[in-house]
Amino acid sequence: MFSNVSSTFYKNPFKSFLMGGFECADHLNAFGNRVDLFSASGHDIKLREDYDLLNILKIKTIREGIRWSTVEIRPYDYDWSDLDYMMATAKDNNIQIIWDICHFGFPDDLTPLHPMFARRFGQLCRAFVIKYRNLDPYGELIVTPINEVSFLSWLGGDVRGTSPYCIGQGWEVKYALMKAYIEGIELMKEVDPSIRIMLTEPLVSIISNNASDPAALLKAEQKHFEQFQVHDILCGKICPELRGKPEYLDIIGVNYYYNNQWINETHETVPWGERPPHPLYRSLEKLIETVFTRYGKPIIISETSHPGEDRAKWLKSVTEECFSILKTGIPLLGCCIYPLIDRPDWDHLDNWHHSGIWDIYDLSTMKRELHHESFLVLQDFYGTLYTELSVDRELEI
């Protein structure tokens, strides 16, 4: 359908098509306790080892977070020691980092509904860029100001899963987060206009199970398209008072997991692994086609994984979808496995998800153990990219 759209029309800023993410959530969980999955996964003490592991998968582009709750030790006073170490280690390994400024967490004295939230966040963004450019004056800088605004708005605004622990205030939280998001972009671009912005939002499908009821179908479709409110605010289509601009919607990241499709009436997850496919299941290709048709921007799969025994099966399904998407001509610039390293649950830290490419079973050593089945899937992925598809060979895929 999009055969006339060449991926080379969009300057690809990424060093590798296959990407990886390291868990960096640092928010208050459902019990009011601060989580820090950067440390809980051992990434803080095994950073160099983790970056060495990337060579096994030929990954040169990763997602990391600065962890706002750790960096801002006092209002407008920042500790960049972790950033220094990450940047130096990445440089030693020829690794490109896409930076999350806020991956769900913020300092104890702030919530998105605090009147100073946007100002504090904007100044953090500005300070980050100044610090980054002092260390790397000329490299490509790609930033996600706030990861998954839609999810964070629901978690903190509707179901009391994190700060500000509200019910029925999802839109208010989303509005406040987007105010901060855009102010952060403005202040970053004042320092460095060349910064690239990568939006990362859940890609979902909401559908009715009552095909004979037009009202039910319409209601489900309305809920389905609410997932694009953040995109529309960012590019100025809605809420123009927040100063969104079309150029702020730069690269679109879609976070896509096995439970991202559900039935509107029951909230039941639509099964993803059935053969033939479940009649209500929408392919990833079709969902991404909707995003590209709507916005015409380059896309990456910015998060994907599956916990437990089906993770290799899920990766195979996603990589097959990548092939289908690339064949359409849609500019899919990458696919990020998130997380690469095992992680514990936010609310129950003794429950490990086993959703990464490397597992952790021994918490005393935090030893990384390769999940061979998943590794073989990704190995096959490389072969197909090289031999069957015209993927830009300047990329280290």
Side-chain angles (χ1 to χ4, degrees):
M1 177 183 292
F2 300 99
S3 57
N4 62 329
V5 179
S6 170
S7 61
T8 57
F9 178 78
Y10 301 92
K11 181 181 181 297
N12 192 333
F14 302 115
K15 286 189 174 182
S16 62
F17 185 91
L18 187 63
M19 307 174 187
F22 293 96
E23 184 62 84
C24 54
D26 62 327
H27 58 294
L28 299 175
N29 67 14
F31 303 107
N33 299 318
R34 174 74 62 186
V35 298
D36 183 353
L37 298 192
F38 180 85
S39 298
S41 65
H43 190 46
D44 56 342
I45 60 174
K46 290 185 174 286
L47 184 80
R48 191 168 295 276
E49 176 186 328
D50 289 344
Y51 285 4
D52 287 340
L53 291 174
L54 297 173
N55 293 322
I56 299 173
L57 293 173
K58 301 179 183 178
I59 289 175
K60 292 296 182 183
T61 300
I62 61 172
R63 291 186 63 195
E64 291 273 24
I66 70 167
R67 294 178 299 147
W68 184 7
S69 66
T70 300
V71 164
E72 191 171 6
I73 53 178
R74 287 175 294 275
Y76 311 107
D77 186 6
Y78 311 108
D79 176 2
W80 298 112
S81 54
D82 285 341
L83 177 70
D84 290 335
Y85 181 47
M86 282 192 281
M87 287 189 65
T89 307
K91 183 178 180 180
D92 290 344
N93 287 271
N94 191 27
I95 298 298
Q96 173 191 31
I97 298 178
I98 305 167
W99 294 96
D100 284 5
I101 306 297
C102 173
H103 197 108
F104 303 148
F106 23 84
D108 289 339
D109 64 329
L110 287 178
T111 84
L113 300 180
H114 191 288
M116 295 297 288
F117 184 86
R119 180 177 296 181
R120 288 270 293 277
F121 182 70
Q123 291 302 316
L124 171 73
C125 291
R126 182 177 185 276
F128 165 76
V129 174
I130 292 171
K131 172 65 178 178
Y132 186 94
R133 283 307 183 205
N134 284 335
L135 297 174
D136 183 358
Y138 305 113
E140 186 100 57
L141 178 52
I142 303 171
V143 174
T144 295
I146 303 175
N147 181 62
E148 290 195 330
V149 169
S150 296
F151 176 77
L152 183 55
S153 303
W154 170 81
L155 187 66
D158 284 323
V159 297
R160 295 188 297 190
T162 190
S163 177
Y165 298 103
C166 296
I167 291 178
Q169 299 294 308
W171 171 255
E172 288 76 10
V173 173
K174 183 181 291 184
Y175 189 92
L177 288 170
M178 289 309 297
K179 182 176 189 292
Y181 199 117
I182 292 169
E183 290 193 21
I185 292 174
E186 290 173 340
L187 289 174
M188 285 191 290
K189 285 187 172 288
E190 281 183 11
V191 176
D192 180 2
S194 72
I195 282 179
R196 304 293 302 273
I197 302 300
M198 189 175 90
L199 180 75
T200 57
E201 282 293 299
L203 180 63
V204 305
S205 173
I206 304 173
I207 197 162
S208 173
N209 62 358
N210 191 350
S212 62
D213 184 349
L217 293 173
L218 179 60
K219 186 175 181 181
E221 194 74 350
Q222 288 173 336
K223 294 297 292 183
H224 175 78
F225 279 99
E226 283 180 7
Q227 69 181 293
F228 298 121
Q229 287 175 341
V230 168
H231 306 65
D232 289 346
I233 293 172
L234 188 57
C235 68
K237 285 186 177 179
I238 62 174
C239 305
E241 70 278 6
L242 294 183
R243 302 190 300 275
K245 295 181 180 179
E247 58 266 31
Y248 293 169
L249 193 64
D250 186 1
I251 303 165
I252 298 179
V254 297
N255 294 354
Y256 186 68
Y257 292 95
Y258 72 98
N259 54 356
N260 277 33
Q261 300 199 33
W262 63 88
I263 296 168
N264 190 47
E265 291 85 358
T266 64
H267 299 282
E268 177 186 2
T269 299
V270 179
W272 61 271
E274 295 184 356
R275 293 292 182 271
H278 189 281
L280 296 182
Y281 191 79
R282 289 165 166 159
S283 69
L284 179 56
E285 177 188 342
K286 290 299 182 184
L287 293 175
I288 285 181
E289 181 183 306
T290 297
V291 177
F292 182 67
T293 301
R294 188 177 176 98
Y295 298 107
K297 299 286 186 173
I299 295 168
I300 77 164
I301 300 168
S302 44
E303 290 184 19
T304 192
S305 65
H306 192 294
E309 62 182 357
D310 281 337
R311 67 182 124 166
K313 182 180 177 182
W314 174 258
L315 283 177
K316 183 172 177 58
S317 172
V318 170
T319 55
E320 287 173 351
E321 292 270 23
C322 284
F323 301 145
S324 298
I325 295 162
L326 287 166
K327 287 176 180 177
T328 68
I330 290 173
L332 181 68
L333 303 185
C335 179
C336 179
I337 312 303
Y338 197 100
L340 283 175
I341 307 294
D342 202 2
R343 64 180 169 207
D345 187 78
W346 296 333
D347 297 325
H348 304 283
L349 291 169
D350 56 346
N351 176 25
W352 287 71
H353 287 187
H354 300 299
S355 58
I357 307 302
W358 284 273
D359 284 317
I360 297 173
Y361 294 105
D362 187 341
L363 299 185
S364 64
T365 64
M366 305 302 287
K367 180 181 177 183
R368 278 75 167 110
E369 299 190 21
L370 183 66
H371 186 254
H372 291 279
E373 202 177 349
S374 296
F375 171 72
L376 291 175
V377 170
L378 297 179
Q379 214 174 30
D380 289 343
F381 182 48
Y382 289 127
T384 306
L385 281 172
Y386 274 127
T387 60
E388 296 185 18
L389 298 177
S390 299
V391 174
D392 186 349
R393 287 177 178 268
E394 293 182 1
L395 291 174
E396 298 207 26
I397 60 173

